[in-house]
Amino acid sequence: MARDSDFCLDVPEDFDDADDETGVYPIAKKLILGATAADVFRKAHEWVRNHDIRLTDVSWDHMCDEDQPYVMSMYFTFELDSEPDPEEV
């Protein structure tokens, strides 16, 4: 996957995130809404299947008084072609 400059973050020149424990890593969030829990899981399955991502975390919420009260937040990173596969290293 090629990097899209529209989705890049500008950081100060002196910014240093070289420390492994405190480093900054790009991550994205996808919200998936549904009328039922099963609906949300179906939508999540379809979305993940169609995108080359590495899922890192998931959170779940229920919003009362909404048409689609079930909400899943998926946190992920993009799989870039330049990254080596950890299992191959």
Side-chain angles (χ1 to χ4, degrees), residues 3 5 22 36 38 62 64:
R3 292 182 191 251
S5 61
T22 60
T36 66
H62 185 271
C64 297

Side-chain angles (χ1 to χ4, degrees), residues 1-88:
M1 171 184 283
R3 292 182 191 251
D4 184 340
S5 61
D6 290 336
F7 296 111
C8 291
L9 206 75
D10 293 325
V11 295
E13 278 186 43
D14 61 345
F15 182 76
D16 180 15
D17 71 337
D19 187 345
D20 283 342
E21 290 187 25
T22 60
V24 177
Y25 303 95
I27 192 165
K29 177 181 177 181
K30 171 77 174 167
L31 289 176
I32 299 181
L33 308 171
T36 66
D39 189 33
V40 172
F41 281 105
R42 179 189 54 76
K43 290 178 183 179
H45 170 78
E46 290 174 7
W47 191 84
V48 170
R49 182 182 61 207
N50 292 320
H51 293 84
D52 193 15
I53 62 164
R54 181 182 312 139
L55 194 60
T56 58
D57 199 4
V58 186
S59 67
W60 188 253
D61 200 1
H62 185 271
M63 300 183 300
C64 297
D65 301 326
E66 296 290 331
D67 292 342
Q68 297 184 28
Y70 295 91
V71 181
M72 178 186 286
S73 298
M74 296 189 316
Y75 300 88
F76 62 93
T77 58
F78 294 95
E79 294 288 349
L80 300 175
D81 294 338
S82 61
E83 292 181 3
D85 185 350
E87 294 181 11
E88 293 178 3

